[in-house]
Amino acid sequence: MTAKIATQPLFDTSDWTFELMNTVHDAIEEIALGDLGLDVYPNQIEIISAEQMLDAYSCAGLPLMYQHWSFGKHFVRDETHYRKGHMGLAYEIVINSNPCISYNMEENTMAMQTLVMAHAAFGHNHFFKNNYLFRDWTDADGVQDYLSFAKNFISDCEERYGVDEVEQVIDAAHALRDQGVFRYGRPPKPTRQEIEAIRLQREGYVRERKLLDIWTDARLGEGKEPATAEDLALNNRLAAMNLPQENILYFLEKHSPVLAPWQSEILRIVRYMAQYLYPQKQTKVMNEGCATFTHYYIINQLYEKGLITQGAYMEMFHSHTNVILQPEFDDPRFSGLNPYALGFAMMMDIKRICEHPTDEDREWFPNFAGDPDWRSVLKDAWANYRDESFILQFLSPHLIRQFKLFVIADDAKQPNLEVSHIHNRRGYREIRRVLARSYDLAYLEPDIQVRDADLKGDRELQLLHTISNGIDLVDDSRTEVLKHVRKLWGYDVSLKGVDRVSGAELYARTTKKPKVFEG
Amino acid sequence: MRHFIDRRQNPKGKSLGNRQRFLRRARHHIKDMVDKSVQEKSIKDGGSVPTGERITIPTKGIGEPRFVHSNQGGFRERIFPGNKEFVVGDSFPRPKSGAGEGGRKASDSGEGEDGFTFSLTREEYLHILFDGLELPDMIKKNTFETETKATRRAGLTTAGSPNNLNLVRTMRNSLGRRIALRRPSTDELATLAADIEALEEEGAPTARDKKRLEELRTAFAALERKRKIVGYIDPLDLRFDTHVPVMTRNSKAVVFCLMDVSGSMQEREKDLARRFFLLLNLFLERAYDQSDVVFIRHTHHAQEVDEETFFYARETGGTIVSTALLEMQKIIEDRYPTDEWNIYAAQASDGENFGKDSLKCEELLNDVILPICQYFAYVEIMPTGTRDAMNDTDTGGDLWDSYVNVNAIWPSFEMLRVSEPAHIYPMFRRLFSIKGAEK
């Protein structure tokens, strides 16, 4: 600690008030923007009670959500756990919107409110505003309006078509939520006419549908040239429907022969929500790392400036240490790598490499080791990577040794598990690869695409599951999901599992009833 | 650039709609569990269910299927922190499946396979418990319903008595009108007045000052005039709450619980009877604004007692059932005028009665009780393991035979036999199921 400048602490009580929070917010802002140079949306900080926090939990943390029984189920489950004391509630929830909304619990002490503001209102907020995934894929300005549109639309549908009808469509759409995102095709920003078309459609639901189709189809349909003449018919068909298509919900929304416009709109809503939340799934480590680093830096600065008391500092530090606790694999508390711990350690490590690089660091990270401006290095990382690429790029041997990471290979064909890599010179790159991959959603989530559907023929929807490393799907839920797909498609659905490398067919499922031939 | 918003006062229960949808979805399972809980549990004390009820339902049917990777088979590499002594090439047997690799793959319900536990509120519990049941709709019910007057809010009017003035709406109108007609605010007047005062106090007014003072005075007068013309509150602004009288159905019910407490009624028999009375009371509570319970116990004489005495005190003596019916008749005449009260009665007995008394009971029921009763249920408690007798409803003791005769005449009379706690609830459902009154 450097010598303290004698200043009056901002607060010395544990109770918070709005005036205090305002003052503290200013102090934090000064450090966050002035010192760290963060770039944030305006903050909207809302104080909520435990019950409201439970409400927010059940709806993926969003301030508004359409009604569905599954949210009720999550609510009663969380409520039961909470009342029994099995589960604590988060200190805050933060929403990627402009203004950036963060919910702070009323139970927090003033010290905790300070920590939470530094963490969410500046750390997460900066990440949301600057990370490329959020910039490209989510619409922070419009999300609140969209949520309110979705909620009203679905309740209108419930009135018009009945709760059961709507529930069935949402059930089916939810089953395909993970298959309702575009992973690779980057959505272009809609033009003014297109925004207008979307608005009109939201108001009239059906009108102007054609224009939208042209928009969405045109950007995805940059087609392949037909290879040979005999494939022309097939290729035309595939091209017309943008096949193969990884976004099954999108495909059903556009091409299902049986869905009414309102049903397609529900699919679009579910798909939009999935897409909106998708960047968060891809950046758990970075997002938490960024926020944790930010709050750590800020509370230390506040303390050094004498703006917080030693007691408050200790309290914040206590919960900071709890948050970044990483139990070892043989610890009963172990439940995988803690994204807060890993993220925070990596951010601190980047700072260390900039400030005090070793020879090893210079060898591994020639482009920023010893860079005097660690703030820019960090901000560049926060803006341009997701978990997988971030780890691949920035995980240092130093950190691998610090975490004592090791890899166990589990091959179902072998009777035993084997330690394949440990934290030594030979293992670094492999460990980094394995760790990065363990955050790559393309590997974590099954790769299932729409392959073909002959609308002029038997109309069977053909799905293709590309299997990596022989990892199959859970059969029960697969059968159930296929039933849901059948409901949305209206005709039979088949799913084939094919090995990624050999191309061999490993399984085939269909919703078709076995045919009975009668003499 | 920032806002702090206090949301704590926002309406609670944002997820109420979701909760209702969930209960609706899982209704089938929940119903099974509620039925089971009411059959198995000994319902204790206070004559009501507790404020909430924990139930566990199977996850089947409320699952949210997705395409998920199986956690078995294939080739996978897992990464762990905290290596101690492993070196590359170490191998060890695969841990038993289920122990999991740190349990990262929770099932999608987050609850494991077997059950999903949560709490129902008392209302939800009772709603589900009595779902599909209704009070037998008997003709004479109408004659017992009286109508009373009550008032209901009916929007706003422009005229009314001052005590009904709706301040919020009135002030809103007033504000709108004042803005629209540009009523000068007190601030404007105060500024002008201050200016005037400043000028007046000036020792040696110049001609310009005088002129200015004159202007200000004129302006001030104009403003004041305008304030008088455009009143703060105008009769136009006034809004009053109105109330209209409505006729409401008077719904009061009294339940008579009659029980034989002679020596032959042991703990077991009493417990069975108690369960039945309790269900009946809960059910009626839901249907009526106000429900009273009257406990009458009898041996060879009958007396009205409180709940505690009714269920727990012991009494010895012979058994004369008609005394209880007479007591009931007396109480109705004393306290429950039949044009105000819906009268329900449930009688529990082990079926023993003294000599010719059963005939007297039959007469009493036919002539006095049933004409004024909405519903009369007779529960005969059988010894355990008498399945045959339970199914044979035509033959029984004296009392049963007499009641069979009554049953043939009165649709509002029901009789049944139980021998185990588990029978009570199904029996109860049979009595009140929607077509229960049909014979």
Side-chain angles (χ1 to χ4, degrees), chain B residues 120-329:
Chain B
L120 289 173
T121 65
R122 183 186 147 91
E123 284 72 32
E124 286 165 345
Y125 182 83
L126 291 180
H127 182 73
I128 291 164
L129 186 64
F130 296 122
D131 183 38
L133 300 186
E134 64 167 22
L135 287 171
D137 186 27
M138 279 161 285
I139 305 152
K140 65 176 183 174
K141 192 170 160 190
N142 299 329
T143 62
F144 288 104
E145 268 169 5
T146 56
E147 292 199 323
T148 49
K149 259 189 211 168
T151 53
R152 183 173 60 78
R153 291 192 62 164
L156 301 163
T157 55
T158 50
S161 61
N163 62 333
N164 283 336
L165 184 69
N166 187 321
L167 270 181
V168 174
R169 299 294 282 260
T170 304
M171 292 314 288
R172 194 195 291 167
N173 288 342
S174 147
L175 182 65
R177 188 181 45 78
R178 275 180 280 139
I179 293 171
L181 298 179
R182 309 225 166 124
R183 184 177 198 264
S185 70
T186 39
D187 284 355
E188 284 175 59
L189 276 178
T191 346
L192 268 184
D195 287 353
I196 292 170
E197 205 174 324
L199 278 176
E200 277 172 346
E201 276 177 14
E202 214 155 279
T206 59
R208 237 181 87 213
D209 280 347
K210 274 183 185 159
K211 199 179 165 225
R212 170 103 184 107
L213 190 63
E214 201 49 45
E215 276 170 19
L216 284 177
R217 283 193 176 130
T218 324
F220 188 79
L223 281 189
E224 278 220 304
R225 205 166 51 246
K226 182 144 196 192
R227 270 172 74 85
K228 275 189 190 123
I229 295 167
V230 184
Y232 188 77
I233 291 183
D234 192 274
L236 273 176
D237 303 331
L238 299 182
R239 291 293 178 275
F240 297 88
D241 294 332
T242 42
H243 297 86
V244 291
V246 283
M247 301 303 273
T248 52
R249 259 182 28 193
N250 185 355
S251 50
K252 286 199 282 190
V254 55
V255 188
F256 285 89
C257 300
L258 315 177
M259 184 163 68
D260 179 4
V261 291
S262 62
S264 54
M265 289 287 280
Q266 296 295 312
E267 274 309 305
R268 187 188 73 88
E269 285 83 3
K270 279 188 183 173
D271 182 54
L272 288 174
R274 182 170 133 76
R275 281 159 185 274
F276 184 81
F277 292 143
L278 181 74
L279 278 177
L280 184 66
N281 190 25
L282 282 176
F283 184 49
L284 293 174
E285 247 179 26
R286 275 166 46 80
Y288 290 100
D289 297 344
Q290 191 191 341
S291 70
D292 272 12
V293 189
V294 176
F295 295 101
I296 299 171
R297 64 173 190 179
H298 72 90
T299 52
H300 58 276
H301 71 279
Q303 65 188 127
E304 187 187 351
V305 293
D306 60 24
E307 187 179 350
E308 188 67 22
T309 323
F310 186 70
F311 287 116
Y312 299 108
R314 293 183 163 268
E315 184 88 341
T316 49
T319 313
I320 302 177
V321 176
S322 60
T323 55
L325 297 176
L326 286 169
E327 178 75 14
M328 176 176 164
Q329 185 193 354

Side-chain angles (χ1 to χ4, degrees), chain A residues 399-416:
Chain A
L399 209 62
I400 295 177
R401 286 194 299 271
Q402 191 188 319
F403 273 80
K404 301 196 180 75
L405 295 175
F406 66 106
V407 175
I408 290 183
D410 174 2
D411 189 344
K413 294 188 200 101
Q414 306 293 332
N416 287 338

Side-chain angles (χ1 to χ4, degrees), chain A residues 206-267:
Chain A
V206 202
R207 276 180 295 140
E208 302 281 341
R209 191 173 170 74
K210 281 279 152 32
L211 180 50
L212 265 191
D213 283 345
I214 292 166
W215 166 50
T216 35
D217 290 348
R219 75 178 159 83
L220 292 153
E222 279 160 42
K224 298 135 214 124
E225 291 302 311
T228 57
E230 55 262 33
D231 286 342
L232 200 63
L234 177 67
N235 271 339
N236 281 344
R237 187 167 84 217
L238 296 187
M241 296 196 286
N242 301 311
L243 292 175
Q245 174 59 262
E246 54 162 353
N247 192 335
I248 301 179
L249 274 184
Y250 170 81
F251 177 83
L252 290 170
E253 174 196 325
K254 295 294 174 208
H255 300 291
S256 167
V258 296
L259 290 186
W262 66 270
Q263 291 169 318
S264 304
E265 185 66 34
I266 289 181
L267 296 201

